[in-house]
Structures are given as C-alpha cells and as structure tokens.
Amino acid sequence: MASADLLEGSDRGFTFNEADFRQVQRLIYEHAGIKLSDAKQDMVYSRMIRRLRHNGLTTFKSYLDLIQKDKQEWEAFVNSLTTNLTSYFREPYHFPILQQFLQERAGRRMRIWCSAASTGEEPYSIAITVIEALGVRATDVDIIATDIDTSVLAKAGSGVYTADRIESLTDAQKQYFFRGTGKNAGMVKVKPEVQRLVKFQQLNLLDKAWPVNGCFDIMFCRNVLIYFDKDTQRNILNRFHPMLADDGLLFVGHSESLLHMNDKFRLRGKTVYDKR
Ligand SMILES: C[S@@+](CC[C@H](N)C(=O)[O-])C[C@H]1O[C@@H](n2cnc3c(N)ncnc32)[C@H](O)[C@@H]1O
C-alpha cells in the first residue's frame, strides 16, 4: 500500500487505517476466496462506510469487531464486498452452444448448475434458452442457481428488473418471457414459466461441503474464478470435474482460462470446456 495516511484521511470522516484494510483483505480472502488488491482500498472504504453508518459506528475497528460477533452483519459485510456485474445473455456466443447441446439431448432429464448467479440475469438467460430449445419439454431441465451473496439472490428470486436490463433481447423474447409489473412503470418481471425452472440457493464455492450434488450436464461458472488465486481456482475446478457428466459442458468467463487444468478439461469452443 502506498501509504497508510492515504487511508486515514480525516476528511473522509471515518478512521480507516492500513491495519483495517489488511484485516478486510484477509477476512474476505479466507471466507470467500476473493483477492482484494491494494488498489481496491477506495472501493472497500466506500462500500463499508454504508455498513458503518447503518450501525451508527465511526471507526472501522469497531465495525470489524462487530462482524466477528454478529452473524447478520457478517453476511452484510460479505455481500458488500462482492462484485455482481452481470447482464442478460452476457457473452452471447455461449447460448447457441447451450441451445444445440439441449436440442441434441431432447427427451432426456438434464441438470444445469449456474454457480455465480448474481442477480439472476444469467440463470434466467439459461432458462429462456432451455424453453426456446425444448418447448414443452423444458420442464425436463432443472436449473440450480447459486451465489455466495444473499442480497443478490433475493433480487434474483424476485425476478424483477428495470426494463433497460432486457433492452438487448428480441421483441419476441421480451413478450414471451417478461411482463410489466403493473404497479411500477419501467419495471419488468420474469414470467412464472421461466422462474419455475430455476431454484436459487446460497453457496460459497470455498465451503468444504456444497449443498448440491452432481451430476450436472451443464455447469456455468462465469466471471467469478478471476477473483480467486490459482490454487483456489484449481481446488474448485478439481471438485467440479467429478460433478460434470462425461458428455457435459463447463462454461467459464471470457477472461478465464482452464489451460492450467488441461489434464482435466479440454477446450471445446470459446471458453467452453468438456471433461477429458
Ligand atoms: C461478476 S459476478 C458474475 C455473474 C455472472 N456469472 C456473469 O458472468 O454475469 C461474480 C459473482 O460471483 C459471486 N461470488 C464471489 N465469490 C464467491 C464465492 N466464494 N462463492 C460463490 N459465489 C461467489 C459474487 O457474489 C457475484 O455475484
């Protein structure tokens, strides 16, 4: 860190020193695997300040003491440090591959795990693709969507979004899969037939036991591995391997590569892998 003084600025109104930042870095790394670089100090300060205000505290030290004792505040602390950027049909080149995979296996029961689901746009994009690929047989597919962050899961479960979030979808997709909410102009809600395919559940990829069982035909783990160091990535991917069906596919994010795991996974397309 350049200087502890940078953090301690009294103009900020709250005492935040290097030791506080180091403790936040350590806690979130040990719990969630998230590596916060030193460049993230302003981000940490601005996100955590809301939690201090909420709790009527003026020093980070007192806040860091609080989260050791208060389970609910611990959860809010973790939630405040995740990055939840996502969108409908993000990395769109994955969805035709998914569609073809589903169509080739129509009539078979299938399971999909979306393991960093954030606010729900990704698992609902998967559900829409399932319906487009399989029509009435869509109910043959179970989608489990998990994330460490309980606040994004609550939003995902509601299925309510501002209308601009679905701007990139076709008119037919907007019409078939969403409806206006009635009360709030400019808001849309995912239709029940899409929502019904997806089950949301909290899951920390770092936990020793996961509350999901294999085997999955499709696994999405996009744009979360980048927050982890190589050892953590390797650990998680080693655990994914036996949970993926022999003919299944694993989708990762655009900047994530499994080259260091090429004894286990083989590249099949742009950031799409299957099992060796
Ligand atoms: C940048 S978002 C990616 C969302 C989506 N997969 C996509 O690509 O659009 C990363 C998500 O990973 C979640 N996350 C971070 N650490 C996690 C962990 N240890 N276990 C499970 N989810 C985690 C965050 O809460 C966040 O919602």
Side-chain angles (χ1 to χ4, degrees):
M1 190 174 308
S3 157
D5 300 340
L6 279 178
L7 295 171
E8 203 124 28
S10 53
D11 55 318
R12 292 175 185 246
F14 294 86
T15 312
F16 183 43
N17 61 32
E18 176 160 4
D20 298 329
F21 180 65
R22 293 278 173 238
Q23 196 175 343
V24 173
Q25 269 182 324
R26 183 179 59 77
L27 288 171
I28 198 67
Y29 174 70
E30 285 174 3
H31 179 70
I34 298 171
K35 288 281 280 180
L36 287 176
S37 73
D38 288 353
K40 292 280 165 66
Q41 27 181 295
D42 280 345
M43 181 208 94
V44 168
Y45 182 86
S46 65
R47 290 190 185 182
M48 287 184 56
I49 219 72
R50 289 181 220 139
R51 299 311 313 160
L52 267 75
R53 289 206 177 100
H54 179 85
N55 287 284
L57 300 172
T58 53
T59 67
F60 277 73
K61 164 129 190 24
S62 54
Y63 182 70
L64 292 168
D65 289 343
L66 175 68
I67 57 175
Q68 311 287 345
K69 302 181 283 219
D70 181 335
K71 240 181 132 194
Q72 217 177 325
E73 194 50 47
W74 169 259
E75 190 173 301
F77 164 76
V78 173
N79 290 352
S80 75
L81 290 173
T82 59
T83 298
N84 309 115
L85 182 78
T86 188
S87 59
Y88 275 96
F89 294 95
R90 182 180 191 186
E91 291 161 36
Y93 42 85
H94 281 161
F95 292 90
I97 299 171
L98 173 63
Q99 176 148 16
Q100 191 186 343
F101 180 97
L102 295 163
Q103 280 166 342
E104 284 169 4
R105 289 157 184 78
R108 190 172 115 175
R109 279 217 72 82
M110 285 181 268
R111 297 179 77 221
I112 301 179
W113 180 15
C114 173
S115 61
S118 190
T119 39
E121 288 86 336
E122 184 176 77
Y124 289 135
S125 302
I126 296 170
I128 289 170
T129 307
V130 168
I131 296 172
E132 288 176 336
L134 302 177
V136 290
R137 302 302 305 259
T139 50
D140 289 347
V141 181
D142 295 313
I143 304 167
I144 299 166
T146 62
D147 200 285
I148 192 174
D149 183 334
T150 51
S151 64
V152 292
L153 288 172
K155 179 167 172 44
S158 77
V160 176
Y161 299 91
T162 53
D164 61 308
R165 302 288 296 164
I166 60 165
E167 236 159 45
S168 65
L169 275 64
T170 64
D171 286 344
Q173 286 174 322
K174 287 178 198 164
Q175 197 184 327
Y176 288 135
F177 303 117
F178 296 85
R179 59 173 172 77
T181 60
K183 352 180 227 242
N184 305 315
M187 304 296 283
V188 293
K189 189 170 186 332
V190 179
K191 283 194 182 168
E193 49 272 41
V194 180
Q195 267 190 306
R196 225 175 278 135
L197 297 182
V198 187
K199 291 211 169 34
F200 291 99
Q201 201 176 336
Q202 194 208 10
L203 185 149
N204 179 355
L205 286 166
L206 239 69
D207 278 354
K208 289 209 167 59
W210 289 335
V212 294
N213 302 313
C215 158
F216 290 97
D217 301 283
I218 295 284
M219 294 167 100
F220 270 64
C221 185
R222 304 195 308 170
N223 303 302
V224 64
L225 294 172
I226 36 161
Y227 298 103
F228 304 150
D229 59 24
K230 279 273 172 294
D231 280 348
T232 309
Q233 290 181 12
R234 202 171 291 117
N235 260 325
I236 292 169
L237 291 163
N238 273 326
R239 292 172 69 190
F240 278 176
H241 189 261
M243 296 173 80
L244 184 65
D246 286 343
D247 64 341
L249 293 177
L250 168 64
F251 294 80
V252 298
H254 61 285
S255 61
E256 295 160 334
S257 152
L258 270 57
L259 276 181
H260 58 299
M261 298 285 298
N262 62 11
D263 55 324
K264 291 244 155 70
F265 295 101
R266 182 173 52 168
L267 188 65
R268 294 310 303 263
K270 197 169 170 189
T271 54
V272 184
Y273 292 82
D274 70 2
K275 243 167 115 148
R276 276 202 192 274

